Amino acid sequence: MLDVLSRGTPTCASTFFCNFAAVKKLYIETYGCQMNFADSEVVAAILKDQYELCIDVQDADLILINTCSIRDKAEQRIHKRLRELEALKRKRPHLQVGLLGCMAERMKEELFHSEPILNFIAGPDAYRSLPQLIEESAKGQLRFNVLLSEDETYADIMPVRYDLNGVSAFVSIMRGCNNFCSYCVVPYTRGRERSRNPKTILQEVEQLLRDGYKEVTLLGQNVNSYKWNDDGMDMTFAQLMEVVAKTSPDLRVRFATSHPKDISDELIETIARYDNICKYIHLPVQSGSNAVLKKMNRVYTREYYLDRVRKIKETMPDCALSTDIIAGFCGETLEDHEQTLSIMREVGYEYAYMFKYSERGGTMSAKRFPDDVPDEEKTRRLEEIIALQGELSLISNKRDIGKTFRVLVEGYSKRSHDYLYGRNSQNKVIIFPKGDHAPGEYIDVTVNECTGATLLGN
Ligand code: 5AD
Ligand code: SF4
């Protein structure tokens, strides 16, 4: 089987580099969601006059770790990484190490006690103060800024792009979350929801087009509740998508993530109307049981969710759907779990991100409900969910055999430079022989083989 180079999943880590005329070397390591990747690009832009980005951590004068707190496992991974970096700091005593993002916000200055390697920490709304934090901590003081803001969107900062394929880019359109799903730490670590001025979003998209990019993903914790009403403009998310789609028919537009409660008919119809808005919606369901959904504070029912799916499929029969699922939430019975499996079958998701429930301190569910599904049982349920999704993805991929898709080429297959990989509108990865094509091109590819994870074509 051929493999591909992937651009980031909800649980991956990545580094990036670029060249600037500057003196010191900066190494950034990013963990977690796409929003964190977009934030690291903003951080790189804020520091670009003082630091040149480097690809080898051994060369760094400054290491920044952009962190994720969504599950305990994500945090443990970062603690482990900081342990590894201690040896490097012993060799390079002038090296500064800063921790950014959700873990900084969640644990605040307590982190200095558990992680003596750290010189400073900065929460997600404090990146403009990084030059000051770095300067002051270089003098030997431990510095931190974890203030959350009601209006910071880094709107005026043009991110430094690090995906060297130069084909697709993330554009942050809003920050924070007001939903307070009972299991989730994000509203506490990333603060209240706020939308970015559409003028600056469009300026960023137009710059990307001039730089040759072919795809943008509009990012936010809940993009469907994007709302702008200022500066002589009034805009919903559907209207923003339309304006972005109109910048060029050659620019593909994607978005993530959607809360089912906000996925309006207007938005579904807008996606359907534009060929260059990708026919792929990530619609996290979390559970198929009404009792669990209620405890999760998801504010929709199974029936409401299925009605939204019906509307999407009626309007766009070729639209792919993916989801997030949590196994073993507080009080989840076997019957609740069966309901999750049944909603997965009913929707027939193309893809799913699947997790075991992980209790997060300070959240509603940690305060109110005992984490009472034993870990082995969570694992068993998760494995059942993963196995079912494997079957559903394979069924969906088999349906694509013989079909021809317009693919945007993203790069070379990891296993062989004779093959390229790209995605179709439905976000499925397709691998095919290179011929005389190159990344950045649109090519019509006919699928002739598949696995559960990938389509192979010609
Ligand atoms: N435990 C497990 N999964 C979680 N998620 C969010 N919080 C938790 C938690 N405490 C999952 C949800 C969300 C995705 C980004 O991470 O499925 O949609
Ligand atoms: Fe967390 Fe819910 Fe907000 Fe998503 S919508 S970030 S799961 S609180």
Side-chain angles (χ1 to χ4, degrees):
M1 230 306 287
L2 294 161
D3 203 357
V4 295
L5 294 161
S6 83
R7 289 189 65 236
T9 66
T11 52
C12 71
S14 170
T15 58
F16 67 82
F17 65 95
C18 193
N19 285 321
F20 300 108
V23 261
K24 291 186 181 167
K25 298 256 193 295
L26 163 63
Y27 180 88
I28 307 189
E29 210 165 276
T30 307
Y31 293 81
C33 62
Q34 294 168 335
M35 288 292 293
N36 267 9
F37 281 76
D39 279 5
S40 288
E41 295 181 333
V42 165
V43 167
I46 290 170
L47 297 176
K48 73 171 190 262
D49 292 338
Q50 292 107 315
Y51 287 89
E52 173 180 303
L53 284 142
C54 63
I55 42 170
D56 188 346
V57 69
Q58 306 286 336
D59 296 335
D61 300 294
L62 170 64
I63 299 176
L64 295 176
I65 311 282
N66 194 355
T67 62
C68 171
S69 280
I70 203 135
R71 284 168 289 275
D72 184 55
K73 228 166 131 183
E75 287 194 352
Q76 293 316 321
R77 196 170 163 205
I78 287 152
H79 286 300
K80 185 163 168 263
R81 180 63 178 143
L82 291 171
R83 283 298 93 70
E84 287 165 12
L85 292 173
E86 276 169 4
L88 187 63
K89 185 140 178 180
R90 277 194 294 276
K91 273 200 284 177
R92 292 167 68 87
H94 77 283
L95 174 66
Q96 283 179 278
V97 181
L99 189 133
L100 316 178
C102 287
M103 233 172 125
E105 197 61 53
R106 198 178 84 77
M107 300 172 80
K108 304 189 170 54
E109 65 269 39
E110 169 198 332
L111 269 167
F112 289 129
H113 301 294
S114 53
E115 299 297 349
I117 187 178
L118 295 176
N119 298 99
F120 61 90
I121 66 177
D125 288 344
Y127 298 149
R128 284 182 204 267
S129 69
L130 278 172
Q132 197 189 342
L133 294 174
I134 295 165
E135 194 186 322
E136 290 172 4
S137 70
K139 295 177 192 149
Q141 305 154 354
L142 296 177
R143 304 295 297 151
F144 69 95
N145 182 352
V146 290
L147 280 178
L148 286 173
S149 155
E150 286 187 0
D151 49 23
E152 178 62 275
T153 58
Y154 301 111
D156 54 317
I157 295 174
M158 188 64 71
V160 167
R161 306 287 162 193
Y162 70 90
D163 52 17
L164 295 176
N165 71 10
V167 177
S168 55
F170 297 132
V171 176
S172 169
I173 64 160
M174 61 188 302
R175 299 180 72 80
C177 181
N178 287 351
N179 289 323
F180 289 94
C181 299
S182 66
Y183 50 80
C184 186
V185 80
V186 168
Y188 307 94
T189 57
R190 298 188 77 98
R192 294 291 66 74
E193 198 170 277
R194 64 219 100 121
S195 297
R196 177 177 172 190
N197 187 329
K199 267 191 202 157
T200 66
I201 297 173
L202 278 177
Q203 280 162 4
E204 194 174 323
V205 169
E206 278 157 6
Q207 183 60 48
L208 286 164
L209 272 169
R210 281 193 293 275
D211 293 342
Y213 281 81
K214 297 284 171 55
E215 182 176 275
V216 292
T217 303
L218 306 182
L219 284 184
Q221 241 74 43
N222 177 21
V223 288
N224 307 132
S225 60
Y226 177 90
K227 188 120 201 72
W228 182 262
N229 190 334
D230 199 2
D231 208 9
M233 268 180 303
D234 203 351
M235 212 174 257
T236 63
F237 179 58
Q239 289 162 339
L240 177 70
M241 287 272 282
E242 189 155 14
V243 179
V244 173
K246 279 181 177 163
T247 55
S248 163
D250 269 346
L251 182 77
R252 273 189 174 176
V253 185
R254 299 188 183 277
F255 60 97
T257 288
S258 303
H259 193 299
K261 77 176 166 58
D262 297 315
I263 189 134
S264 63
D265 287 0
E266 182 201 11
L267 177 64
I268 296 169
E269 281 150 19
T270 304
I271 301 170
R273 210 161 42 243
Y274 289 87
D275 274 349
N276 59 331
I277 301 183
C278 290
K279 303 298 176 272
Y280 165 65
I281 303 179
H282 181 63
L283 201 61
V285 66
Q286 314 295 0
S287 167
S289 149
N290 279 336
V292 174
L293 288 171
K294 190 149 196 272
K295 277 174 96 170
M296 287 179 163
N297 194 31
R298 289 292 287 177
V299 304
Y300 55 80
T301 59
R302 175 189 176 99
E303 293 72 28
Y304 169 89
Y305 184 95
L306 286 171
D307 174 70
R308 292 292 76 198
V309 170
R310 184 193 48 75
K311 171 75 187 174
I312 292 167
K313 292 196 168 174
E314 245 171 46
T315 317
M316 298 175 283
D318 62 339
C319 187
L321 287 169
S322 66
T323 198
D324 290 345
I325 294 174
I326 298 177
F329 185 64
C330 313
E332 185 190 74
T333 63
L334 273 179
E335 207 177 300
D336 294 323
H337 170 62
E338 285 300 327
Q339 295 264 304
T340 296
L341 297 172
S342 93
I343 204 166
M344 289 172 70
R345 285 191 204 96
E346 209 162 327
V347 177
Y349 295 108
E350 267 66 31
Y351 192 78
Y353 299 94
M354 300 154 282
F355 316 100
K356 278 198 276 189
Y357 171 62
S358 164
E359 186 176 88
R360 310 311 287 134
T363 58
M364 286 299 184
S365 64
K367 285 182 199 154
R368 286 198 194 154
F369 313 122
D371 180 11
D372 54 2
V373 178
D375 192 57
E376 321 79 80
E377 180 57 13
K378 281 184 192 168
T379 305
R380 194 195 65 77
R381 292 181 194 179
L382 179 65
E383 280 169 359
E384 229 167 57
I385 290 168
I386 292 171
L388 173 58
Q389 186 53 50
E391 288 170 31
L392 296 174
S393 297
L394 185 62
I395 292 171
S396 162
N397 283 355
K398 279 186 176 162
R399 270 201 306 264
D400 289 340
I401 292 179
K403 290 188 193 162
T404 301
F405 294 101
R406 175 135 288 213
V407 170
L408 173 59
V409 185
E410 287 180 26
Y412 293 90
S413 160
K414 220 194 234 168
R415 300 257 175 102
S416 161
H417 258 229
D418 295 334
Y419 287 81
L420 292 168
Y421 81 93
R423 281 165 212 269
N424 64 7
S425 172
Q426 289 72 15
N427 206 37
K428 286 191 183 176
V429 172
I430 308 190
I431 297 174
F432 53 96
K434 179 169 67 132
D436 49 9
H437 298 290
E441 286 180 32
Y442 285 105
I443 306 173
D444 290 329
V445 180
T446 303
V447 175
N448 50 24
E449 247 186 274
C450 75
T451 66
T454 322
L455 302 175
L456 303 171
N458 255 311

